[in-house]
Amino acid sequence: MRKFGLHFGLLLAVAVILLPPLWVLRTSLVPESLSYSTDLMPAFTTGNYADLFAKNHFGTFYLNSIIVSVGSVLLALPFAATTGYAFARFQTGGRFARFLVLATQMLPPVALVLPAFAILRGVGLTNSLTGLVIVYSALNLPFLSWILMGFFKGIPVDLEWAAMTDGTTAWGAFWRIVLPVSLPGLAAAGVLGFILSWNEFLFALVLSGPRTSTIPVALAALQTSNGVQIGKVSAGVVLAILPLVIASRFIQRFIIQGLTFGSVK
Amino acid sequence: MASIELSRVSKLYANGIVGVRDVDLRIEDGEFIIFLGPSGCGKSTLLRTIAGLEGISSGEVRIAGQLVNNVAPRDRNIAVVFQSYALYPHMTVWQNMAFGIKMRGAAAAEIETKVQEAVELLGLTGLLDRKPGALSGGQRQRVALGRAIVRDPQAFLLDEPLSNLDAQLRAEMRLELVKLHRRLGRTTVHVTHDQVEAMTMGDRICIMREGRLIQAGAPLEVYANPADTFVAKFLASPPMNLIAGELVEAGGGALSVKACDEIFPVPDMHRAAYAGYAGKPVIFGVRSEDFYESPQEPHYHPVTVKVVAIEALGPENILIGQLGQTRPIEIAARLTRHFRAAIGSSVTLYVDARPMHLFDVETTKVIARPPLPVTRIAP
């Protein structure tokens, strides 16, 4: 009986979490006119998806999101890895530098978005993907540095010492030993950075233009003065979630495998 | 091939902690030397300063006569085997072993021969394509050694390499390391906190405490002539029995130690050395193996001990007992495996006082006396 109660509770919790996304999925596959029907599946159509791509340039926005998210991670990771390593192994900058890195995360994004806009306008990068990539990298950098610092701290310093007596420089030990050993950590950090950039709305809204919008901005644009095109919004949300679902599977595998090495006892 | 010379080497950390203090030591070419001490005594730090992995605050480190204070680890041509083995987890056994000479720009053919030699020497055939994660502790240990050997370094620095192995494997590897040293003839520094390793493996032991080098010498010499109570206790299991007492004159120039309600006559051979301490408090040190269950020699001195516990180890029995009535202290005596006694009963043991030591109460340093031969003492 107790077991039954427990399972019932769990089922309820799962339902509370899963129902909204499932309802979004359902709405995306129902014609716009029937979206608000209380029937489970009044009719079936893929029209919302087709419209999204045909009439709303969703393909472009999707590509924009991918370019911006992947690009910002690729740009930020090398800096984050070196910063994180310096913080993990050396006294670089002392406590104050570490605090500063964290402090940047405490500012509300609104406080940063206008200066970012001013800077980008100054160098002519507003309304461009390059500008967004750079700003997202900057936003990701402190967070990624912090995560990687933790990861590098977990790597036994003996490995680097062994490499250095084996004939590498300190940089060589980082490059040939620490980085390969940290690949799972780098991947995990990269995926987290990707998710952050993928979901980001405010900066994209302010810094991008009609052709350089990312998915969150494009979805928001579907709420017009004539009403919300809920069918298309739902289809867009489903498409937006898809990479995240894949990414989180990925990150799980990497994190679990990443911390079980046989190098040291 | 290289000697290692340390002169007044100190290592202070930024937070004021002292790693190593004023160490002077010359390690001869080809010597197998042991750094022994409790954890935190600075022995591993000292090893790392030789390797160049930690800078020193003052002093000089010379390898093969060359000052290496500012020489990077990779240019010192020494190999370190770490307690954790520190195998590169993303490389196979072969890659691990080849990494060092590869970094030094060796040709492919040379790498192949060198690795192959080490593989045969250490019996690693068949494991070459495995990654460290798929090896047992003993195998990892061998790979770590192999990685060091392949490099053909001037000196081997071993940082507690055996402490992660189980007891049986440790005993095997102990012997194997000694054989390896005999075969390769390289200067070897072995850091350990295990006194069995220290006694059996090295040409010389260096005992360290709180960053200082307390005593260095051949294992049996150090064992027979400890410099202070710390060495006396540390280099044996059970540790030397240290009994606080007083050196008194017993008439006719004879001396005795009065301690724990007992009078221990000082052997005549030590009389001259100890005469100056007559009437002063001293610490009387007697090793557990100098207790006997029967008076085999006429000069053995009987004492009464109350049995607290008996640890039967198989080849011998260790008796833990209380000496004295008013303020009893616990002593350990190493007796034969035939010794039997009930817990709580009183037994008479016989002390051979000739290998005894007296220590100064204030400095805890040994009161110098002429050393005895380290093996059998003629009656």
Side-chain angles (χ1 to χ4, degrees), chain B residues 166-180:
Chain B
D166 61 53
Q168 197 184 345
L169 204 51
R170 198 181 313 167
E172 282 172 27
M173 284 309 289
R174 210 159 59 205
L175 201 62
E176 231 167 293
L177 276 178
V178 173
K179 281 191 202 155
L180 207 60

Side-chain angles (χ1 to χ4, degrees), chain A residues 170-182:
Chain A
W171 174 257
F174 174 66
W175 184 249
R176 288 170 188 277
I177 305 299
V178 176
L179 275 189
V181 168
S182 314

Side-chain angles (χ1 to χ4, degrees), chain A residues 156-240:
Chain A
V157 69
D158 288 6
L159 280 182
E160 286 142 81
W161 281 345
M164 275 152 66
T165 49
D166 259 352
T168 70
T169 56
W171 174 257
F174 174 66
W175 184 249
R176 288 170 188 277
I177 305 299
V178 176
L179 275 189
V181 168
S182 314
L183 273 184
L186 291 170
V191 170
L192 284 176
F194 176 86
I195 292 174
L196 276 185
S197 305
W198 185 265
N199 287 334
E200 207 288 327
F201 174 69
L202 181 65
F203 281 76
L205 180 70
V206 174
L207 302 177
S208 67
R211 312 222 27 215
T212 53
S213 290
T214 56
I215 294 174
V217 179
L219 286 180
L222 291 174
Q223 306 173 29
T224 63
S225 51
N226 296 329
V228 178
Q229 297 165 286
I230 194 71
K232 278 200 217 166
V233 170
S234 302
V237 167
V238 170
L239 290 176

Side-chain angles (χ1 to χ4, degrees), chain A residues 91 156 158-170 172 176-178 180-181 261-265, chain B residues 48 51 53 73-74 78 80 82 84-91 99-100 103-104 132-133 140 147 151 164:
Chain A
Q91 269 131 30
D158 288 6
L159 280 182
E160 286 142 81
W161 281 345
M164 275 152 66
T165 49
D166 259 352
T168 70
T169 56
R176 288 170 188 277
I177 305 299
V178 176
V181 168
F261 271 116
S263 69
V264 290
K265 194 160 176 179
Chain B
R48 288 198 291 269
L53 296 168
R74 65 177 187 283
I78 38 82
V80 184
F82 294 92
S84 63
Y85 314 139
L87 300 177
Y88 311 128
H90 58 298
M91 298 185 190
F99 185 77
M103 285 293 103
R104 274 149 221 276
R140 283 179 206 172
R147 190 170 65 178
R151 286 253 319 280
N164 280 346

Side-chain angles (χ1 to χ4, degrees), chain B residues 287-306:
Chain B
R287 291 224 181 257
S288 59
E289 63 267 27
D290 293 325
F291 285 91
Y292 295 87
E293 57 221 70
S294 59
Q296 294 163 18
E297 309 258 358
H299 67 274
Y300 286 10
H301 176 74
V303 291
T304 307
V305 171
K306 193 175 160 202

Side-chain angles (χ1 to χ4, degrees), chain B residues 241 243 264 284 286-294 296 300-301 303 305 319 323 331-336 348-352:
Chain B
N241 298 299
I243 305 162
F264 298 91
F284 174 56
V286 54
R287 291 224 181 257
S288 59
E289 63 267 27
D290 293 325
F291 285 91
Y292 295 87
E293 57 221 70
S294 59
Q296 294 163 18
Y300 286 10
H301 176 74
V303 291
V305 171
L319 178 146
L323 186 67
I331 57 134
R334 194 184 283 264
L335 305 172
T336 70
T348 303
L349 298 180
Y350 299 86
V351 183
D352 179 4

Side-chain angles (χ1 to χ4, degrees), chain B residues 265-342:
Chain B
V266 172
D268 291 347
M269 58 174 81
H270 301 321
R271 209 187 270 176
Y274 292 148
Y277 273 81
K280 291 187 185 161
V282 288
I283 296 169
F284 174 56
V286 54
R287 291 224 181 257
S288 59
E289 63 267 27
D290 293 325
F291 285 91
Y292 295 87
E293 57 221 70
S294 59
Q296 294 163 18
E297 309 258 358
H299 67 274
Y300 286 10
H301 176 74
V303 291
T304 307
V305 171
K306 193 175 160 202
V307 181
V308 174
I310 291 178
E311 296 173 346
L313 300 179
E316 64 197 6
N317 287 350
I318 308 282
L319 178 146
I320 312 294
Q322 276 181 350
L323 186 67
Q325 276 87 47
T326 43
R327 277 155 82 198
I329 69 149
E330 216 150 81
I331 57 134
R334 194 184 283 264
L335 305 172
T336 70
R337 66 198 152 100
H338 306 294
F339 178 82
R340 293 281 182 280

